[in-house]
């Protein structure tokens, strides 16, 4: 094990096992399960669902706005123009 590469590999293996130990512990797994449950509760709450619905409605309104559509069309045209310039080289 005098090869420096072997020493580096051994050090990485040791570090990896030390990192994996707490991640695989029962307490960490239990905490992750609790966190997942809380996140699910949060996502399923009426307030969050209402907020998501409102956000979707606002995004739809924005996407249907004529000025936004014009801006998107202009951006597409400019991207096409630039791509054509690079393609002609």
């Amino acid at each position: 094990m005098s090869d420096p590469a072997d020493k580096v590999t051994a050090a990485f293996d040791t570090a990896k096992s030390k990192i994996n130990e707490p991640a695989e512990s029962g307490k960490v797994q239990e905490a992750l399960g609790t966190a997942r449950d809380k996140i699910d509760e949060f996502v399923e709450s009426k307030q969050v669902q209402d907020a998501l619905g409102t956000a979707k409605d606002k995004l739809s309104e924005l996407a249907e706005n004529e000025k936004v559509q014009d801006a998107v069309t202009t951006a597409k045209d400019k991207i096409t123009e630039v791509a054509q310039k690079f393609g002609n080289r």
Side-chain angles (χ1 to χ4, degrees), residues 18-49:
K18 294 293 182 188
I19 290 168
N20 285 337
E21 283 175 19
E24 294 170 354
S25 77
K27 288 182 180 180
V28 170
Q29 293 302 316
E30 184 179 335
L32 287 173
T34 301
R36 284 187 197 107
D37 292 344
K38 294 294 182 187
I39 290 170
D40 288 343
E41 287 175 24
F42 177 73
V43 169
E44 293 169 2
S45 77
K46 181 173 178 358
Q47 287 177 318
V48 170
Q49 292 301 314

Side-chain angles (χ1 to χ4, degrees), residues 71-87:
V72 170
T73 300
T74 300
K76 287 179 183 178
D77 292 345
K78 292 295 181 185
I79 290 170
T80 301
E81 183 181 318
V82 169
Q84 289 173 346
K85 285 182 181 179
F86 280 110

